[in-house]
Amino acid sequence: MDYLEGLNPEQKAAVLQIKGPVMIIAGAGSGKTRVITYRVAHLIRSGVDSFNILVLTFTNKAAREMRERINHICGPEAKNIWMGTFHSVFAKLLRVEADKIGYPNNFTIYDTDDSKSVLRAILKEMQLDDKLYSVNFVLNRISAAKNNLVGWQEYQNNEQIQADDFSSGRGMLGKIYETYAQRCYRAGAMDFDDLLFKTNELLKKHPEVLNKYQQKFKYLMVDEYQDTNFSQYLIVKRLAAVNENICVVGDDAQSIYAFRGANIQNILNFEKDYPDLKIFKLEQNYRSTQNIVNVANSVIANNKEQLKKNVFSEKETGDKIKVMRAFSDNEEGKLVADAIMQQRSTNGLKWHDFAILYRTNAQSRSMEEALRKNGIPYKIYGGLSFYQRKEIKDLIAYFRLTFNPNDEEALKRVINYPKRGIGDTTVDRIIVAADKNSITPFEVIIEANRYIEKAPASLHAFAAMIQSFQVITKNQSAYEAALHIAQHSGLLKDLYEDKSIEGLNRYENIQELLNGIKEFSEREDIEEKGLDVFMQDVALLTNDDKDKDKDADTVSLMTIHSSKGLEFPQVHIVGLEENLFPSQMSLNSRSDLEEERRLFYVAITRAEYKLTISYATSRFKFGTLISCEPSRFLDEIDAKYLELDFTAKPVSSGSFDDERNAWSRKADTFSKPKAATAPPVKTTSILAKAHVPSPDFKPSDTSNLQVGMQVEHERFGFGKVLTLEGNKPDIKATIFFKEIGQKQLLLKFAKLSIISGVE
Ligand SMILES: Nc1ncnc2c1ncn2[C@@H]1O[C@H](COP(=O)(O)OP(=O)(O)OP(=O)(O)O)[C@@H](O)[C@H]1O
Ligand SMILES: [Mg+2]
């Protein structure tokens, strides 16, 4: 069994234990994912049929990498394993079984945009206050209900839920949920949560289906088990009920999806569900240097709720963790870009050895800008997917409509794009007629004259076009059909005629999609190559799933949430500031704050050799510059592991040394765990306080002010005069301030001191 050589004794024991329930709860980088990979290889080598294996991973990327590795050990057998995220695996299952619960097997998957659009329409029809019932809030409520397996009927009948909704003035939520569920059903569509919710319904109501998959999936494995929600937990439990060959791996310290209903209880339940459970402990971290592991341990020790683990590394001590301070978010980007370039050339690294991790998507802007300026290639993971771009969604909406004419969101998207004279009022009338006659909007359109007064002729033409697409897709290859639809819908022409740079980009994106479909229709390793198969699960794809840029040498940018399970030689965690990380939303309860801390733990433990943390003392947020304080998480790191790099000088004179001294003292004093209490919100406008005027500051006589002069403003700091306009006494000066950018001031009121003449 030389293929098991790369495992330590505990890992090996867990791999060899192929019968019965197994749980591995272990620290970051201890080889949990590796154990799953080797376990699958071992199952196949031991004669288990690869068709009988189900592996649930956190990302499609993880599944792909695992499959490659297994393929390496076991050859093409690896292809038959069902392996992927919960959503993609159960979408696949529902494609076969959906008819049993009343859905078409070619059901559409509504992405978040589609779901929101359905809800928006419902809220409008019900004339509800869009502040009280904001679309995001309502969608979260419905999502939470589904993930706890509460259907709309149960939602409406549950006294506790109803009492809560009424007391918050949102008594209509139950009705909205009902209407939403019915709209999706009528459209033959499932949203993301439905993929799990309906799978549960299917397995519960149809014992014969459950039995079929219990027989099929004789061996189950779940990675990142700490982040499963109730709905996922129950699917796994049902499928494993007969054979009980189930192995779950996870780390309670990395549970970061509680806000989405993930439940640490699932780990504890597991012991109750399977009394003869075998538990394996892995303690050695193989990923990171000792310093990095120690820092991670010292941070997570501040959490009260955790299962005790002793994680250690036997790699070298490694560099200390560098902390960089910047004076603005843009400068932080620059510091990070400089550090990456310097490290790359000193150590002969590749761009793909670096990752930049942030708490919120919005932070990517300043990073991207700095990387672009320096010509550093990068890729944003988990951001707006290729498949989420407008032009791609438009073309895919035509495909969706072709295969499922009941798909209402696809219909709304393209019925008047490109423009064909079908206005919003007509669309509203179609929907009303559909509701009234209990038929689908597309059925209304087919017989428009019967259902709508003075129906525009273009409606008939539109219906005929979609029907002609249905014929084409039956008779032609995926690529030919897709090209036909792109051309005959008028979409390609519309984009071609737009000669702006964006228009050109959009046109190229469509070409890229068509190329992708062409490659797909020429693949030799799959049987089903129709356009319907190609686009079945596009809604589940993210931009990491596009094969094309898989091997590109780029710096990776992503939120910490999407970095789970990954590793990089060098990691930058940026934006370590109060109210950003920990986020402002998390400061009201200990459990939320602990989740933020786990998130920080996840971020730290992605790094193999070098970890750099940075923060900015001011940052643009919602269009205003605010001043920021270093995150409390920095204080929690034992100072002996840190190397402070405060070499970046403030642009204007300030309390630089004071701040440094204060911060170093803090790092010494506060390295021990301290109670997590929410501080008052400290965000203040920098305009109100940032600049400390020079000691000898006094407003000058500005009557002789000239363009090009250097000035100091009492509050805005140092700047240079760009233009002077108007006549005395109402002269307006436009001044570029180093800290806050350009501003126009009325001179007679401006508190300015002239510090030097024209350069
Ligand atoms: N026994 C071992 N010998 C050498 N390298 C190992 C061993 N076990 C794990 N590794 C390596 O350590 C790194 C971390 O392993 P892996 O990703 O499986 O950990 P994990 O526990 O899943 O981490 P995370 O909690 O971040 O998901 C990987 O690069 C893996 O190849
Ligand atoms: Mg892992």
Side-chain angles (χ1 to χ4, degrees), residues 258-481:
F259 72 96
R260 262 204 223 154
N263 197 340
I264 200 86
Q265 208 57 36
N266 293 341
I267 293 183
L268 307 173
N269 279 348
F270 205 78
E271 293 197 66
K272 287 202 205 103
D273 291 345
Y274 305 99
D276 52 352
L277 175 69
K278 297 229 169 28
I279 299 180
F280 292 88
K281 269 168 86 178
L282 308 176
E283 300 197 312
Q284 180 165 357
N285 174 310
Y286 287 90
R287 176 181 296 146
S288 316
T289 63
Q290 292 185 24
N291 269 336
I292 294 170
V293 170
N294 289 339
V295 163
N297 287 343
S298 76
V299 166
I300 203 68
N302 290 277
N303 271 8
K304 286 198 168 156
E305 282 196 37
Q306 53 168 330
L307 307 172
K308 285 275 168 266
K309 285 190 257 358
N310 168 32
V311 186
F312 66 94
S313 163
E314 283 186 356
K315 287 173 85 166
E316 70 265 49
T317 316
D319 287 353
K320 286 191 174 181
I321 281 57
K322 194 169 179 179
V323 179
M324 301 195 301
R325 177 186 59 180
F327 289 87
S328 66
D329 42 0
N330 286 340
E331 195 196 354
E332 185 185 31
K334 183 176 170 308
L335 291 181
V336 170
D338 287 350
I340 290 179
M341 287 194 296
Q342 188 257 333
Q343 281 293 321
R344 177 175 175 268
S345 62
T346 318
N347 298 318
L349 300 171
K350 291 266 194 317
W351 296 122
H352 67 226
D353 291 327
F354 298 88
I356 303 176
L357 309 181
Y358 35 80
R359 174 70 182 82
T360 62
N361 274 309
Q363 288 166 262
S364 77
R365 185 204 51 85
S366 52
M367 293 298 136
E368 282 186 78
E369 223 165 88
L371 295 174
R372 264 203 307 268
K373 261 189 204 147
N374 287 286
I376 301 175
Y378 65 89
K379 183 177 172 204
I380 300 188
Y381 284 79
L384 194 62
S385 144
F386 176 77
Y387 299 95
Q388 294 294 314
R389 293 181 189 165
K390 180 185 176 301
E391 63 279 12
I392 300 296
K393 288 191 81 165
D394 288 340
L395 182 52
I396 285 179
Y398 275 106
F399 300 164
R400 274 165 57 173
L401 202 55
T402 303
F403 294 111
N404 174 13
N406 296 347
D407 183 338
E408 222 171 293
E409 290 310 305
L411 177 80
K412 282 200 254 171
R413 207 175 167 96
V414 296
I415 190 166
N416 198 34
Y417 175 74
K419 285 211 175 3
R420 43 178 79 89
I422 306 176
D424 288 350
T425 343
T426 310
V427 175
D428 287 347
R429 279 157 66 201
I430 294 170
I431 307 271
V432 170
D435 278 341
K436 210 169 103 196
N437 296 287
S438 301
I439 54 176
T440 68
F442 196 72
E443 286 167 324
V444 173
I445 296 171
I446 292 175
E447 288 191 79
N449 290 336
R450 178 168 154 203
Y451 292 110
I452 303 176
E453 267 180 54
K454 292 192 204 133
S458 47
L459 274 184
H460 185 253
F462 179 74
M465 177 177 78
I466 299 296
Q467 286 168 327
S468 75
F469 292 168
Q470 291 171 337
V471 177
I472 294 282
T473 51
K474 283 207 183 74
N475 302 325
Q476 305 209 6
S477 78
Y479 174 68
E480 286 162 341

Side-chain angles (χ1 to χ4, degrees), residues 43 106 109 226 234 260 304 367 388 444 578 656 755:
L43 285 171
N106 62 354
I109 300 176
Q226 77 279 358
L234 213 56
R260 262 204 223 154
K304 286 198 168 156
M367 293 298 136
Q388 294 294 314
V444 173
E578 284 294 295
F656 168 62
I755 45 177

Side-chain angles (χ1 to χ4, degrees), residues 6-8 11 27-35 223-224 251 254 286-287 565-567 605-606:
L7 297 173
N8 69 28
Q11 292 172 332
S30 59
K32 298 182 295 296
T33 304
R34 190 179 175 104
V35 163
D223 198 1
E224 307 280 3
D251 178 5
Q254 295 183 67
Y286 287 90
R287 176 181 296 146
L566 306 181
E567 57 192 18
T605 53
R606 299 308 99 203

Side-chain angles (χ1 to χ4, degrees), residues 33-51:
T33 304
R34 190 179 175 104
V35 163
I36 293 204
T37 314
Y38 278 73
R39 209 165 187 273
V40 175
H42 177 60
L43 285 171
I44 296 176
R45 285 286 191 106
S46 315
V48 168
D49 189 340
S50 50
F51 283 98

